[in-house]
Amino acid sequence: MSDDTSGGDDSDAEDADVPDAPGEVDHESEIPEDHPRYESLLTRHRIEAGVEKGITSTQGLIAEGRGEAFDYLLGERTIDSADRAERAAAAHLLLADHPVVSVNGNVAALVPAEVVELADVVGADVEVNLFNRTEERVEAIADHLREHGADEVKGLTADGRIPGLSHERAKVDADGIGDADVVVVPLEDGDRAAALGEMGKTEIVIDLNPMSRSAQVAAVPVIDNIIRAVPNITAHARDLADADDETLRRIVDEFDREAALRDAERAIRDGDLE
Ligand code: PTJ
């Protein structure tokens, strides 16, 4: 298992067979696309830029590191069961009366345009919901999503509550997550997914850790990097756009959440790391 995950050490650059990533990246276009760790370096750059812009919390850096470790063990690919989960997620979103995509500081930094596109394709609302909530950060994330094409961003009113949660994630818009029947919950290992389930909502959780609390309780656990997962859910939604409800319901019913969690854990434990 050989790898270069530093992205910041130029000392061996002249001798290396592969291009080294520049130490200081001002713009993601400076990351060489043929670098073997391109996706990881791009992800790190976006998270760093998110912190600098006041979108991502400093804890978000740590969360990214945890996710990256799982992704490395998964082989940094969308495994077949994750692709099935992404198709089931698309079917759920297309069947929903009121789908909402929940956005935190990491999601906003990593996939702002992709989240807006998914919401457009399935007719979902986008709502900012934060663990480390400050009004400045909610505003900054809403602005960032608008810069990436969002017309309306929810989460600023925060006039609803998720019962049974004591932390800031309980604050939702009554006509957003409060009213949703299907909620996409990306990148959080916590108790909100269970609380949303108790409210009768269907959760689609995107998380690289199949053992995370959120993934464990999700109707659809998507064990994949959000960078790959969101565009792939959108692609499935486009593919299913003309499908009738019966077809969509069959996709939902045939999806096996236990098998998806098991497959991902097996891939992580038995991964072939070359
Ligand atoms: O912006 P805030 O204030 O709402 O805070 C956001 C973070 C992410 C800091 C907060 O929700 C948090 O601390 O989350 P956790 O408990 O660290 O959980 C994050 C989960 O996301 C972990 O299970 C990681 O494995 C997973 N994860 C991290 N990066 C990715 C990921 N899953 C998919 N794709 C990623 N790129």
Side-chain angles (χ1 to χ4, degrees):
M1 172 165 62
S2 75
D3 218 339
D4 166 19
T5 55
S6 70
D9 181 0
D10 289 335
S11 57
D12 294 325
E14 285 172 12
D15 302 329
D17 292 337
V18 292
D20 201 2
E24 283 294 328
V25 175
D26 295 321
H27 189 271
E28 61 189 48
S29 60
E30 291 170 32
I31 303 169
E33 283 185 34
D34 58 351
H35 194 283
R37 309 278 310 148
Y38 174 73
E39 199 177 276
S40 156
L41 294 171
L42 177 71
T43 306
R44 288 180 181 191
H45 171 70
R46 287 191 183 171
I47 288 285
E48 256 186 301
V51 173
E52 280 161 16
K53 208 173 167 185
I55 289 169
T56 310
S57 72
T58 46
Q59 286 191 14
L61 295 165
I62 300 165
E64 171 59 30
R66 178 147 64 139
E68 225 181 80
F70 284 108
D71 204 18
Y72 188 83
L73 295 169
L74 270 172
E76 293 171 335
R77 69 202 156 107
T78 299
I79 59 174
D80 290 346
S81 56
D83 184 59
R84 283 195 291 279
E86 285 154 7
R87 194 164 181 81
H92 267 293
L93 289 165
L94 290 170
L95 281 169
D97 290 327
H98 184 189
V100 177
V101 184
S102 182
V103 174
N104 66 17
N106 284 47
V107 176
L110 292 176
V111 283
E114 294 83 350
V115 159
V116 172
E117 191 180 352
L118 171 63
D120 279 351
V121 170
V122 301
D125 280 332
V126 174
E127 177 161 339
V128 181
N129 179 274
L130 301 181
F131 182 59
N132 304 295
R133 184 184 175 104
T134 64
E135 292 319 305
E136 293 73 29
R137 207 148 68 81
V138 175
E139 294 283 355
I141 291 172
D143 286 346
H144 186 67
L145 291 169
R146 287 190 204 101
E147 280 164 26
H148 286 85
D151 294 330
E152 197 196 346
V153 180
K154 293 197 180 287
L156 291 94
T157 320
D159 54 348
R161 292 291 176 274
I162 303 174
L165 285 190
S166 54
H167 49 77
E168 291 291 300
R169 268 193 196 131
K171 294 184 178 169
V172 294
D173 278 14
D175 65 351
I177 289 174
D179 174 65
D181 55 345
V182 176
V183 187
V184 182
V185 180
L187 272 65
E188 59 177 59
D189 178 6
D191 44 3
R192 187 171 68 125
L196 288 171
E198 276 158 30
M199 291 174 84
K201 301 181 194 299
T202 299
E203 302 110 334
I204 297 161
V205 163
I206 303 173
D207 195 317
L208 277 157
N209 177 6
M211 279 83 73
S212 88
R213 276 161 287 253
S214 304
Q216 288 286 326
V217 300
V220 183
V222 176
I223 312 303
D224 199 3
N225 196 318
I226 192 164
I227 288 223
R228 299 187 297 269
V230 170
N232 202 30
I233 297 172
T234 306
H236 280 298
R238 286 215 164 91
D239 187 44
L240 293 169
D242 296 327
D244 55 25
D245 283 7
E246 197 188 327
T247 306
L248 296 174
R249 276 203 198 91
R250 201 174 50 244
I251 293 168
V252 163
D253 291 344
E254 283 173 3
F255 175 69
D256 182 344
R257 61 178 296 283
E258 302 297 336
L261 290 169
R262 228 178 14 247
D263 272 11
E265 192 175 333
R266 194 183 312 118
I268 287 168
R269 288 187 190 279
D270 303 345
D272 183 14
L273 296 178
E274 288 183 2

